[in-house]
Amino acid sequence: MSTSADKQYALAVDPDQDDKASELKICTFARPHMRAFHFSWFGFFIAFFIWFAIAPLLPVIKDDLDLLPADIWTTNICAVLFDIMMRFVFGAVCDKFGARIPMGCVLMFASIPTACIGLVNNLTGLIFVRLFIGVAGSTFVMCQCWSTRMFTKEIVGIANGLVGGWGNVGGGATQIVMGSLLYPLFVNLWGGDTSKAWRTVTIVPAVVAFITGMVIIKFAQDCPKGNYKDLKKSGEMAEISAAASFRTGALDLNTWILFFHYACCFGVELTVNNAAVSFFVKYFELDIAKASAIASIFGFMNLFARGVGGYLSDKAMPKMGMRGRILVQALLLLAEGGCIFIFAAQKKLVPSIVMLTVFSIFVQAAEGSTYGIVPYVNRQAPGAVAGIVGAGG
């Protein structure tokens, strides 16, 4: 138990950093630090799950709606487009209102188009549904802002890496749960009718997402000392302009350098999440269940890989300063780039799976090291910086 002023905490805190925790205790759900930690990764996990719940079903949807491969890629682009736009917005929103309420509201909103996937009958409908589901991806910004608000800069790299990585596991989980478990189950429930199966199966994750959003808003806390609304009312926190926060973050050149870096790692992950099942179905002639299971490997590496990137960044900081964090970032991006070419050259299934795994580790470690740097960019607008950099992905 740690004490700061008149408050008691379950974790050791630094009073000079607004009572942020200076340690991580993964196996506790204690309020406020670790509860925010677990809600941030789980909220992002569910968001990622519904964001790509449709991905393993695309080969079936393509045939059912008589779509072309180019049409599927168009919907993939739309699935990311709205996310990019809203990441720019939500960074500054988090600076003003905190991360808790935006995350809960986005989950509840995105659950609606997810539940409506079964109403799609043509390309236009699929484009609009995937466009609005894409807002779920912006919860990454809330996830990182919330963690940054709860943990000191000495451990924020690994904290951000773990919440982001465990949340990203939703991309792997949705491949195997939707493609290998729920979809085959619904096919059986509908007597072999694949059309009815894909049209109804996404209702399950939609319901889970809506409930998760409500729970986060009700039972979590914005920052160590309380909720933004109460702190502003008591005068403990100054009112912040979202527009001014965004402007401050956007005018910092380092923000845009990291924007490009994040495009080179998380942007790659999104592309793989959208295309992996279709890739293994087309080039190795696998069925959806097997292809989904293999594709899930890429997402499941987030269980540790992104955290490793943040950890390496934190460890390099005391020895080499910010140059250490930057060096870790550069080496991980170079390794990722090399793995892309090796993976693309594979012609047999087993080597392809091995390289997918190795490739995934470097991609996600680079994501973690990126957000080991983000909290240092601009102290006046940490949310805006996190949002703009996240939009790069």
Side-chain angles (χ1 to χ4, degrees):
M1 184 72 70
S2 177
T3 303
S4 177
D6 60 338
K7 294 181 179 291
Q8 287 189 328
Y9 302 104
L11 277 66
V13 301
D14 185 349
D16 295 329
Q17 295 189 49
D18 292 328
D19 289 357
K20 292 181 180 180
S22 57
E23 61 179 349
L24 276 168
K25 292 184 178 180
I26 302 298
C27 295
T28 178
F29 199 65
R31 189 169 184 164
H33 303 92
M34 293 312 300
R35 184 171 298 187
F37 175 90
H38 288 298
F39 271 143
S40 63
W41 77 256
F42 186 71
F44 184 42
F45 176 96
I46 295 299
F48 222 105
F49 193 101
I50 63 172
W51 191 12
F52 291 103
I54 197 174
L57 310 177
L58 286 175
V60 181
I61 295 173
K62 173 179 170 292
D63 293 339
D64 206 26
L65 301 184
D66 196 24
L67 302 177
L68 300 173
D71 296 332
I72 297 300
W73 274 107
T74 299
T75 69
N76 289 342
I77 293 170
C78 291
V80 177
L81 182 61
F82 200 31
D83 163 53
I84 294 172
M85 295 168 57
M86 297 312 297
R87 287 190 182 201
F88 280 111
V89 173
F90 278 121
V93 168
C94 286
D95 281 336
K96 183 175 179 63
F97 298 106
R100 173 181 58 95
I101 293 176
M103 175 174 276
C105 290
V106 167
L107 282 172
M108 290 188 286
F109 173 83
S111 69
I112 298 171
T114 302
C116 293
I117 287 174
L119 303 178
V120 169
N121 290 308
N122 51 43
L123 175 60
T124 302
L126 187 59
I127 286 174
F128 274 98
V129 164
R130 297 202 70 190
L131 180 71
F132 286 109
I133 293 174
V135 73
S138 65
T139 56
F140 169 75
V141 177
M142 291 72 122
C143 165
Q144 297 295 286
C145 288
W146 210 355
S147 176
T148 299
R149 197 71 178 85
M150 288 291 181
F151 297 95
T152 63
K153 288 187 175 181
E154 289 74 21
I155 62 169
V156 74
I158 189 170
N160 281 351
L162 288 174
V163 295
W166 291 357
N168 275 358
V169 170
T174 197
Q175 301 282 3
I176 196 165
V177 172
M178 295 299 294
S180 301
L181 298 177
L182 284 180
Y183 174 69
L185 174 63
F186 272 64
V187 170
N188 288 332
L189 290 175
W190 288 109
D193 191 326
T194 58
S195 181
K196 288 183 178 179
W198 74 258
R199 289 181 182 278
T200 53
V201 69
T202 54
I203 295 174
V204 176
V207 171
V208 173
F210 192 89
I211 294 173
T212 301
M214 292 193 296
V215 170
I216 286 174
I217 292 174
K218 177 68 175 177
F219 295 105
Q221 188 170 306
D222 292 333
C223 65
K225 295 182 179 180
N227 291 325
Y228 278 27
K229 181 180 179 181
D230 298 329
L231 293 173
K232 290 175 181 178
K233 188 179 294 185
S234 66
E236 295 180 70
M237 177 180 285
E239 187 63 60
I240 299 172
S241 166
S245 174
F246 179 82
R247 185 167 57 251
T248 301
L251 291 176
D252 194 316
L253 177 61
N254 292 318
T255 301
W256 296 102
I257 294 174
L258 290 175
F259 173 94
F260 176 73
H261 283 195
Y262 204 58
C264 294
C265 49
F266 189 64
V268 171
E269 180 170 358
L270 294 184
T271 302
V272 174
N273 282 333
N274 270 313
V277 174
S278 297
F279 172 83
F280 283 104
V281 168
K282 179 178 179 181
Y283 289 99
F284 296 102
E285 299 180 348
L286 303 178
D287 58 37
I288 287 180
K290 291 178 181 177
S292 297
I294 293 171
S296 71
I297 294 172
F298 193 91
F300 278 118
M301 292 301 102
N302 274 295
L303 281 169
F304 70 92
R306 188 162 184 151
V308 167
Y311 175 79
L312 293 174
S313 183
D314 284 344
K315 288 300 179 182
M317 182 72 174
K319 297 178 180 179
M320 302 177 63
M322 184 53 64
R323 287 186 178 181
R325 291 189 185 269
I326 294 171
L327 178 61
V328 169
Q329 172 84 347
L331 292 175
L332 290 172
L333 286 172
L334 287 171
E336 173 198 331
C339 287
I340 291 176
F341 289 105
I342 299 172
F343 171 71
Q346 303 308 309
K347 302 299 181 183
K348 295 182 178 180
L349 181 60
V350 173
S352 181
I353 294 172
V354 171
M355 280 313 305
L356 178 71
T357 305
V358 177
F359 170 41
S360 174
I361 291 172
F362 284 114
V363 168
Q364 290 146 16
E367 295 165 10
S369 65
T370 302
Y371 273 83
I373 299 172
V374 165
Y376 289 86
V377 173
N378 195 302
R379 295 181 180 181
Q380 283 70 46
V385 174
I388 294 171
V389 173

